[in-house]
Amino acid sequence: MVVNVNEVRYFEHDGLKLAYRDEGQGEPVLLIHGFASSGMVNWLNPGWIKTLTDAGYRAIAIDNRGHGRSDKPHDRELYYPSLMAADAVALLDHLNIDKAHVMGYSMGARISAFAALEHPSRVHSLVFGGLGIGMVTGAGDWDPIYDALLSEDVDSITHPRGLMFRKFADQTKSDRFALAACVITSKELIPAQAVAMISQPALVAVGTKDDIAGDAQDLADLMPHATAVDIPDRDHMLAVGDKVYKQAVLEFLKAHPIG
């Protein structure tokens, strides 16, 4: 898919210039991408924006601070999930949208949960992609990813996950120093009792070969109105554009219309 730079728009929040895409008509679906990704990499290229707009939805994809075409501060104190959730809600304000479906992948799922807890009136329903019970228990040790992002020599990186994310960051031409600032503070955990307070309808979708996210059903069981779906034979990186995932989301959105 050829990307037209003119599709990217901007707004300002918290002293930062933040980028977003806004396509289609209908009920708004706010898309929040994962760590080291962007609206283009997570949602445009895998066909999500087309899938949603073809189904009659308005797809709005933010580039989180530190990512994509948004500003990239190097201060780790600026990357807590609450701050990025506030960015997402500020985008809804910018677009005069009272309430939206919110779908996040991986880090974006964590940000979406913070949005639901801290700005509940703005979140109609939730899709947590690529993050299960790891939202509560943690999704592994991220210090090696931090070290890999700051390494001057890629060939010296021996940690498999660190190397995976470093290669992904290089592939997407990301600011490694902004990502290193983001990687630790953005992983703030949400206690189980807080997750239990998420009352919006929710769908948790995780690949069966995902060794980062944690179990989808275990997270869904904590919420009063959540269901889980397995994305067959997909790992953390490959689940994003999967057709099973897309179909499950479309059915979920149809079952929970706004208004």
Side-chain angles (χ1 to χ4, degrees):
M1 180 180 292
V2 177
V3 178
N4 181 350
V5 175
N6 292 329
E7 294 176 352
V8 179
R9 307 172 193 180
Y10 295 91
F11 74 108
E12 292 190 5
H13 180 247
D14 198 21
L16 299 171
K17 184 179 179 183
L18 303 171
Y20 69 97
R21 287 177 167 82
D22 182 5
E23 303 290 339
Q25 304 291 327
E27 294 184 7
V29 182
L30 178 60
L31 304 168
I32 306 178
H33 65 76
F35 174 73
S37 189
S38 66
M40 182 182 76
V41 172
N42 229 155
W43 307 119
L44 181 64
N45 290 351
W48 266 109
I49 290 178
K50 184 178 189 304
T51 294
L52 291 168
T53 56
D54 284 354
Y57 294 96
R58 180 181 178 183
I60 303 160
I62 189 172
D63 279 359
N64 293 314
R65 54 176 67 191
H67 297 75
R69 296 183 179 274
S70 290
D71 282 348
K72 301 173 179 64
H74 291 176
D75 180 357
R76 66 168 56 190
E77 294 301 310
L78 298 179
Y79 288 102
Y80 285 100
S82 288
L83 298 176
M84 291 190 277
D87 290 340
V89 172
L91 177 53
L92 296 181
D93 291 340
H94 176 71
L95 297 174
N96 295 311
I97 295 171
D98 291 331
K99 183 178 290 191
H101 303 284
V102 179
M103 177 161 67
Y105 194 84
S106 193
M107 180 185 76
R110 191 182 305 278
I111 294 168
S112 299
F114 273 84
L117 289 167
E118 297 176 359
H119 310 273
S121 67
R122 313 302 297 277
V123 179
H124 178 74
S125 72
L126 290 154
V127 177
F128 298 130
L131 188 61
I133 196 62
M135 183 183 293
V136 176
T137 62
D141 182 9
W142 289 85
D143 287 336
I145 289 89
Y146 174 86
D147 293 338
L149 288 166
L150 294 182
S151 175
E152 292 300 324
D153 181 10
V154 176
D155 293 334
S156 70
I157 300 170
T158 58
H159 189 274
R161 191 184 296 182
L163 182 60
M164 177 182 73
F165 274 99
R166 171 56 184 270
K167 286 183 174 179
F168 185 55
D170 289 346
Q171 176 189 344
T172 55
K173 296 180 173 58
S174 298
D175 181 329
R176 294 188 290 112
F177 298 98
L179 294 183
C182 174
V183 71
I184 304 301
T185 47
S186 68
K187 299 300 181 290
E188 183 181 353
L189 301 181
I190 305 178
Q193 57 268 35
V195 173
M197 296 174 64
I198 296 175
S199 60
Q200 294 94 333
L203 178 70
V204 185
V206 172
T208 59
K209 293 184 177 180
D210 190 329
D211 62 354
I212 294 177
D215 189 78
Q217 189 64 57
D218 287 350
L219 180 65
D221 286 344
L222 293 176
M223 292 175 279
H225 305 295
T227 56
V229 61
D230 291 330
I231 307 171
D233 300 318
R234 297 295 193 184
D235 63 16
H236 194 71
M237 293 298 189
L238 294 179
V240 177
D242 186 86
K243 62 182 181 181
V244 172
Y245 178 23
K246 289 178 180 176
Q247 186 60 37
V249 168
L250 291 179
E251 291 174 2
F252 172 77
L253 294 176
K254 184 177 180 181
H256 299 95
I258 297 177

